[in-house]
Amino acid sequence: MQYAAHRSRSRIRMVALALSVAAAGAVALSGCAKGEQRVGAAAPATPQDAFGRRAAQIVQDWPKVSPVAGRQEALLPLAGADRPQSTGVREITVTVGHSACDVRFGARSLESKDLVVVTGWGKKKSAKGMCTEQLATDKVKVQLKSPLAGRKIVDAATGRQLLKG
């Protein structure tokens, strides 16, 4: 009899544990996708930062570009880009793939005559506390200095063309 009661309590604990893990995952993602985030002009890309170096390499080597290795907070891959209404737009919307633990995220761009190189970025919470390794995606608006005018939109992390404007 004690064995059956012990098995029953163990099953209840396992179900409770599974439900609490599922609830934690739902809470972790509940802050994601709160509409579109508007990102103004971020700090301009410089040859000294990871994005500036990567964007310059893409412009120079286009179209023979390889993806970057690993995840870098300054070069997060994009899940896609929304097709703009016209070639005269000065704003594009990209979908940034970031960690569910990022407290801030966004996108930045570097423009050339033929390309608009875009990357996502994220800033994680402090190392204290628990964090899940879930991917979240959110739409981010990126302001352009000049109209898209037929330039290609390229993901800096993967090196792939997302759209031709």
Side-chain angles (χ1 to χ4, degrees):
M1 186 73 170
Q2 278 184 328
Y3 176 72
H6 177 71
R7 274 185 69 197
S8 178
R9 282 193 300 266
S10 293
R11 280 188 185 157
I12 291 171
R13 285 184 190 136
M14 290 300 290
V15 170
L17 178 62
L19 290 173
S20 66
V21 168
V27 169
L29 287 178
S30 66
C32 300
K34 293 181 181 177
E36 292 183 351
Q37 178 179 346
R38 187 172 298 276
V39 177
T46 65
Q48 291 79 29
D49 71 13
F51 173 64
R53 288 188 303 272
R54 175 66 175 164
Q57 175 194 12
I58 289 172
V59 169
Q60 177 183 342
D61 296 345
W62 185 258
K64 297 181 181 181
V65 181
S66 299
V68 293
R71 181 192 192 275
Q72 299 177 24
E73 287 185 358
L75 291 170
L76 297 180
L78 302 174
D82 292 355
R83 183 156 306 281
Q85 300 273 339
S86 72
T87 60
V89 299
R90 289 182 176 254
E91 178 180 86
I92 57 174
T93 302
V94 296
T95 303
V96 176
H98 61 92
S99 166
C101 299
D102 288 337
V103 291
R104 292 188 351 214
F105 62 89
R108 42 190 306 213
S109 65
L110 182 129
E111 301 178 45
S112 75
K113 178 182 153 221
D114 298 318
L115 304 174
V116 176
V117 182
V118 185
T119 193
W121 60 266
K123 297 281 184 197
K124 290 195 179 301
K125 297 177 191 176
S126 68
K128 296 177 183 176
M130 282 186 19
C131 180
T132 60
E133 291 291 325
Q134 294 169 312
L135 175 67
T137 58
D138 285 287
K139 291 189 180 271
V140 176
K141 292 193 180 281
V142 178
Q143 301 296 318
L144 302 177
K145 294 176 185 171
S146 58
L148 188 55
R151 295 182 288 174
K152 296 171 180 78
I153 302 171
V154 178
D155 180 348
T158 64
R160 71 181 173 94
Q161 179 178 331
L162 298 174
L163 288 175
K164 181 176 181 183

